[in-house]
Amino acid sequence: MDDEHFKQHLKLWTIAPPEAALAGRIIAQATALKQLPAPGLNWQHRLIATFCDWHSGWGYKLASLSLCAAIGFAASFSQSEAPVVEVLALAFGGLQAGQLL
Amino acid sequence: MLDETPDQRLMERIANGDKWAFHVLVMRYLPKAHNIARRMLSSPEDAEEAVQDAFAKLWQHAARYDPSKAASSTWFYQILSNTCLNMARRKPFIHASIDELEDTLTDATLAQDSQLVAQQDSARIRVAVAALPERQRLAVILCYFEELSNAQAAATMGLHIKALEGLLVRARKKLKELLR
């Protein structure tokens, strides 16, 4: 049997077409999944979503908040003493703005 | 009409989450995808699972498709082929010998009508193709059953065209022995 006849002979093996509902199942199952961004755009997309979408990027948001709190707390210790400004004197011109008691 | 939209345009729309474009592409690729999976895998359930997986990957990764590298159909059949190969390795065919098969079919009815002969031939070919190693089987399915060109089949399998031809030569030799 030459190759052409051989290929024709193989085609005796036929396959029944897929059931009609298969396409619908495939579409429903696939479109329920989240689409992934193009490579390279991954971190930009996540960053934009973090700013624009309130429920996105909770990890980053909490980390930023904790960092701000920690910086504020540390700064409060490093400050020697809070400057006291005589408000009334400042208001009525007894002191120049910025001048401390 | 979306039905006549080129595949590449549909892929762009799918990447932007267009479900209707995905529907059109599924209807376009499903018959061939189903045939490939059904011939590669032992059960209809596995074939259906492989096809579903491949389409799910197409939907999820549509934004990663690069039209400069391959046609979208080649890209999709690449995904499907890899899914089928992985599944075929996990769940190998239960090989029946061709002689056993012939006995069963002949015993079913002794009448040698043309339908029985066709059935017998079809079953013999199915068993012979199933007996091939996975990559040879895939090469035969793509080139001889689905009539992809050797270049298209090589791209789908991620092979050099010479390597694909080598697979086909070995597959043909083995199939001819089995179907003698």
Side-chain angles (χ1 to χ4, degrees):
Chain A
M1 198 187 303
D2 68 40
D3 283 352
E4 272 315 305
H5 278 101
F6 177 68
K7 285 179 201 172
Q8 287 307 315
H9 179 67
L10 288 181
K11 288 193 182 139
L12 290 171
W13 177 22
T14 52
I15 297 283
E19 56 168 307
L22 180 60
R25 279 205 301 277
I26 288 170
I27 293 162
Q29 189 224 28
T31 53
L33 301 170
K34 205 174 168 188
Q35 289 188 299
L36 303 173
L41 289 177
N42 225 345
W43 69 268
Q44 289 103 316
H45 274 252
R46 278 207 302 261
L47 190 66
I48 291 165
T50 303
F51 282 115
C52 302
D53 193 358
W54 69 269
H55 63 266
S56 178
W58 272 112
Y60 299 113
K61 283 171 182 165
L62 284 175
S64 308
L65 193 65
S66 310
L67 188 66
C68 289
I71 291 169
F73 193 65
S76 73
F77 280 106
S78 66
Q79 197 83 28
S80 53
E81 199 175 312
V84 179
V85 179
E86 184 56 68
V87 178
L88 284 176
L90 185 65
F92 294 105
L95 285 170
Q96 292 297 312
Q99 190 179 347
L100 303 179
L101 287 175
Chain B
M1 275 297 279
L2 204 54
D3 287 358
E4 290 154 14
T5 310
D7 289 1
Q8 195 179 319
R9 181 78 193 104
L10 287 176
M11 284 302 296
E12 286 166 16
R13 295 177 71 153
I14 293 169
N16 291 319
D18 185 335
K19 290 182 184 177
W20 182 244
F22 181 64
H23 172 92
V24 173
L25 209 70
V26 168
M27 299 313 287
R28 210 173 273 181
Y29 292 169
L30 181 59
K32 193 173 268 198
H34 177 263
N35 280 351
I36 294 171
R38 191 64 198 89
R39 287 192 162 103
M40 265 305 285
L41 301 166
S42 56
S43 75
E45 293 78 20
D46 287 346
E48 193 175 305
E49 194 186 324
V51 172
Q52 277 189 343
D53 274 4
F55 277 114
K57 284 175 191 159
L58 182 142
W59 169 258
Q60 284 192 293
H61 299 277
R64 296 173 176 222
Y65 164 63
D66 181 356
S68 67
K69 287 185 181 164
S72 59
S73 55
T74 305
W75 185 66
F76 170 70
Y77 292 123
Q78 242 171 21
I79 296 173
L80 178 71
S81 300
N82 289 335
T83 309
C84 287
L85 280 174
N86 289 338
M87 209 176 259
R89 281 172 194 139
R90 276 205 318 270
K91 297 178 178 180
F93 258 102
I94 301 159
H95 296 294
S97 82
I98 287 176
D99 294 336
E100 281 170 34
L101 192 81
E102 272 178 353
D103 291 346
T104 317
L105 287 168
T106 313
D107 288 347
T109 169
L110 290 170
Q112 287 290 317
D113 60 9
S114 60
Q115 199 181 353
L116 180 71
V117 173
Q119 237 178 354
Q120 215 172 30
D121 280 341
S122 175
R124 276 165 54 88
I125 295 163
R126 179 171 60 78
V127 171
V129 172
L132 295 173
E134 290 95 5
R135 291 169 73 80
Q136 287 182 28
R137 196 189 319 156
L138 183 60
V140 164
I141 290 167
L142 293 177
C143 292
Y144 298 160
F145 290 100
E146 298 309 321
E147 296 187 330
L148 265 63
S149 67
N150 284 7
Q152 283 173 319
T156 301
M157 292 181 72
L159 295 174
H160 190 274
I161 197 159
K162 292 283 172 202
L164 177 94
E165 284 166 1
L167 284 177
L168 287 173
V169 168
R170 291 197 294 280
R172 262 200 315 267
K173 191 177 164 199
K174 185 157 184 188
L175 282 175
K176 280 181 180 173
E177 273 171 26
L178 289 167
L179 293 169
R180 205 164 35 205

